[in-house]
Amino acid sequence: MATINIGLFGLGTVGSGIVKIIGKARNAHAEIKRICVRDINKPRSIDLDPTLLTSNPDDIFNDPRINLIVEVISDAEASYRIVTRALRAGIPVVSGSKAMIARHLPELIDLQRRYDTALLYDASSCGSIPVIRNLEEYYDNDLLLEVKGILNGSSNYILSQVFDHDESYDSALKRAQQLGFAEADPSFDIDGYDSLFKLIIITVHALGVYVAPEEIFTYGISHINDYDINYAREKRVKIKLVAQVAKIGDDKFTMFVMPEFVTRSKYIYSVDDEYNGVVIRGECYDRQFMFGKGAGSLPTASSILSDVMARLHGYRYEYKKMGYRGRPAYTTDLPLKVYVRFKDTDIPSLLPFESISERYSSTGVNYVVGLIKLADLIANRPLLDTPDVFIANIPTFFTDLDK
Amino acid sequence: MATINIGLFGLGTVGSGIVKIIGKARNAHAEIKRICVRDINKPRSIDLDPTLLTSNPDDIFNDPRINLIVEVISDAEASYRIVTRALRAGIPVVSGSKAMIARHLPELIDLQRRYDTALLYDASSCGSIPVIRNLEEYYDNDLLLEVKGILNGSSNYILSQVFDHDESYDSALKRAQQLGFAEADPSFDIDGYDSLFKLIIITVHALGVYVAPEEIFTYGISHINDYDINYAREKRVKIKLVAQVAKIGDDKFTMFVMPEFVTRSKYIYSVDDEYNGVVIRGECYDRQFMFGKGAGSLPTASSILSDVMARLHGYRYEYKKMGYRGRPAYTTDLPLKVYVRFKDTDIPSLLPFESISERYSSTGVNYVVGLIKLADLIANRPLLDTPDVFIANIPTFFTDLDK
């Protein structure tokens, strides 16, 4: 590909960033030829040749000049239609739609192979941090043991306000919304789904195994209250929303998204504000820590640019690890040590703990600390949605070695 | 390449790590076919088929099975002979010899092109941290502004002992030698040359420009004394040995290796002990921070393994940025703010400061803080080797934005 002629879908926060960044990148050999938006008459904050705009996808798909589609729209259904249509037409795609990719990755991999074309999506996980590319290319061996990190900037911003700036959860959430770090409906971020989708994509490139969203324990921070916050403060730890995938022995692995009590010695302890941080642990290199801006217009767009330029050299994910001998199998059959705070819901009798090591009760609040199988947490997931309940992981078992 | 048949030169710390790691990597499709060592009768700490060993390089070069040479010997001259001979024979090479690579990179790039083969050396910079590969592939665009970091584990270990554990410099150096973090002759590490060679390699992949070692200001930590340490402590900063390359405007860049007063807010402030940490700053993604083990047998060997497996897929550095339009030019024509401590050497009159903002004198010690051109530091480099003199950078200008 001597020049990359881009058909861009989406001109929101990230799309506008891409237009700006492509303009800056003198050596990108890339040009945006057409931009498909829902409403071509909507006022835009960036300078743009208005003839670039169209609301008809066919104007991109039928444009013979266009040799790369970049798709950064927020509607997952529309994103799925665009990406699959492009792949079937043999047009390579760069996408930032994590929810769509995480849900359809097996089909998207199959389409890439069937139509001999490429789908790149490094921007979908941790914005500007090159996690996917490194897992695919650099950590392309059997030494990888664990990937663990803070993958969602919005929820991390809120928790940072709470733990570093003594703000209340509600006021921190409101401030995050005002600053544009959290959506008007923040549940995607604070209930852990954004982290979950990134974790699913990461796991495909880390261990070569796809696990569907429904099979993974996912719990966010929306139930956190002052009691939990004070409990963590007294113990001089922070609560962070952590996503992790970890090998258990040679032939199994587990993964989940869950608030966690993070001690000072851990690398992710100091990942604050809207930043993302990922720890990659391996058998021989110990820990690598990658840290950077996980979201935002320009950081995400710069990650898209890296994928665009990789296409200049014909780069594609080979999904090599999916062909590895002895790929580990997903398991939820392992105990976690958890803190569960509750008021009226009788957690100790409703949740099948293997053992309880601490019990606290008072007129206003109760909690237990105990061991429970991850599979049992999944089986009892609705119970944990009861408004008076909050659960957090206390890393101790396989995660005990973590930094 | 269906199977990688390795001819290994060197069986010291890193070489032994490679033998161990290749054994672990089930999916590497790699096998060590022959190992060339200086003394085949030397007792080895690892289990090894003795028939693998030879002391004759021809046994590797003339073995038709061998399709990759891995070279991890400490003698830079011998390393140069092996690598250039391999490239001329069209055999790809993975090397960890930073001093040799930094000195001969232009010729080594030329040989790769001329003989259509590959030389990979990610292990040469920051051990297990994938700096080179990311600069070459992921930050392959015009947005990069700066790469700055702690690239030498030995000197960082010593400074960590001093600043975090209140140890004296001499005792910390001795401990580093006992632990194997510093060589018996530690000058390569503590005088900044190890950092310099890594910085030269990084700069080729960051900005596409090669600068020879002689042209770069390099100053280490061997002259540091208790006064400097206390001065830093009083100001609540740490002294670290920092290597940096930074763009100055659109068409120039500078680079140097020098002790620096690092404030708490900087990412590299918390890079302690034998760890390495690199901050990559770009126009749109702000800062990325990569952190990990920079040296040691298995971390370095795991980086070698990543390069070995990359050869399975025919990977080579394209040195794309060397062909970029508008590559920046190296300059030393810029002022730095420095602290210079001295006793009898009359620094204020011998060094051509542009201005001096602080002077301190006493019967035992004197210092000045002032602005001086980097070019003038280079011109007066021998003066700074006077035993009573120590110089450190106080980041303020282009580095003022740093985190």
Side-chain angles (χ1 to χ4, degrees), chain B residues 278-330:
Chain B
V278 178
V279 176
I280 296 172
R281 186 163 66 85
E283 225 175 302
C284 295
Y285 45 83
D286 200 12
R287 278 170 196 78
Q288 304 268 315
F289 178 55
M290 299 173 101
F291 177 86
K293 288 206 169 158
S297 170
L298 292 177
T300 307
S302 72
S303 178
I304 298 266
L305 175 64
S306 287
D307 277 352
V308 167
M309 294 201 62
R311 285 306 306 159
L312 199 57
H313 307 281
Y315 178 73
R316 54 202 283 179
Y317 304 136
E318 301 285 347
Y319 301 96
K320 298 162 205 154
K321 293 175 188 173
M322 293 194 126
Y324 273 14
R325 282 174 290 157
R327 279 188 309 159
Y330 176 54

Side-chain angles (χ1 to χ4, degrees), chain B residues 25-307:
Chain B
R26 290 187 286 183
N27 286 290
H29 306 282
E31 208 180 314
I32 296 174
K33 292 289 184 193
R34 213 69 203 269
I35 305 172
C36 183
V37 295
R38 222 174 310 176
D39 175 5
I40 58 168
N41 297 315
K42 188 175 156 185
R44 309 276 165 189
S45 61
I46 47 167
D47 262 348
L48 205 65
D49 171 3
T51 65
L52 288 179
L53 294 178
T54 174
S55 58
N56 181 2
D58 291 344
D59 287 343
I60 285 182
F61 284 111
N62 298 333
D63 186 333
R65 299 170 305 169
I66 286 172
N67 53 17
L68 183 71
I69 284 175
V70 175
E71 175 278 304
V72 286
I73 57 181
S74 50
D75 174 349
E77 279 311 301
S79 151
Y80 174 74
R81 283 195 303 273
I82 291 163
V83 169
T84 50
R85 179 174 172 189
L87 293 177
R88 281 180 216 279
I91 308 172
V93 191
V94 171
S95 167
S97 299
K98 58 193 87 77
M100 186 280 287
I101 294 166
R103 286 214 179 86
H104 300 284
L105 199 43
E107 183 192 353
L108 297 173
I109 293 170
D110 182 58
L111 287 176
Q112 289 177 72
R113 290 197 175 132
R114 202 130 47 94
Y115 294 94
D116 190 24
T117 187
L119 169 65
L120 299 181
Y121 43 78
D122 212 305
S124 71
S125 290
C126 303
S128 62
I129 311 179
V131 178
I132 302 299
R133 193 89 72 88
N134 275 286
L135 289 171
E136 177 72 18
E137 298 301 326
Y138 195 81
Y139 299 103
D140 171 29
N141 57 50
D142 301 297
L143 307 177
L144 196 80
L145 295 175
E146 184 181 47
V147 182
K148 172 171 183 170
I150 291 168
L151 310 184
N152 178 260
S154 314
S155 57
N156 200 51
Y157 175 84
I158 294 167
L159 293 172
S160 267
Q161 286 299 115
V162 167
F163 282 95
D164 301 329
H165 304 284
D166 286 334
E167 204 169 340
S168 76
Y169 177 83
D170 290 340
S171 136
L173 172 57
K174 204 170 292 168
R175 183 195 297 271
Q177 287 170 324
Q178 281 161 359
L179 289 171
F181 292 146
E183 308 290 319
D185 171 7
S187 60
F188 187 67
D189 293 312
I190 64 175
D191 287 336
Y193 293 101
D194 178 75
S195 300
L196 169 70
F197 295 137
K198 291 167 178 171
L199 183 65
I200 290 171
I201 299 171
I202 282 173
T203 300
V204 165
H205 293 274
L207 299 178
V209 183
Y210 173 78
V211 184
E214 313 75 68
E215 296 180 58
I216 303 163
F217 183 75
T218 306
Y219 193 84
I221 58 168
S222 56
H223 288 199
I224 201 170
N225 74 11
D226 286 347
Y227 188 83
D228 311 314
I229 293 164
N230 285 329
Y231 177 90
R233 279 206 190 110
E234 279 171 14
K235 300 199 156 15
R236 296 168 59 81
V237 301
K238 290 180 187 171
I239 298 174
K240 298 243 174 224
L241 183 55
V242 176
Q244 55 197 302
V245 50
K247 280 184 80 176
I248 316 280
D250 265 351
D251 52 1
K252 292 202 175 114
F253 76 97
T254 195
M255 62 199 288
F256 53 89
V257 176
M258 199 171 168
E260 176 169 320
F261 292 110
V262 179
T263 57
R264 255 156 219 267
S265 65
K266 307 294 158 85
Y267 296 152
I268 54 173
Y269 183 89
S270 30
V271 176
D272 287 327
D273 303 327
E274 74 274 27
Y275 284 83
N276 283 191
V278 178
V279 176
I280 296 172
R281 186 163 66 85
E283 225 175 302
C284 295
Y285 45 83
D286 200 12
R287 278 170 196 78
Q288 304 268 315
F289 178 55
M290 299 173 101
F291 177 86
K293 288 206 169 158
S297 170
L298 292 177
T300 307
S302 72
S303 178
I304 298 266
L305 175 64
S306 287
D307 277 352

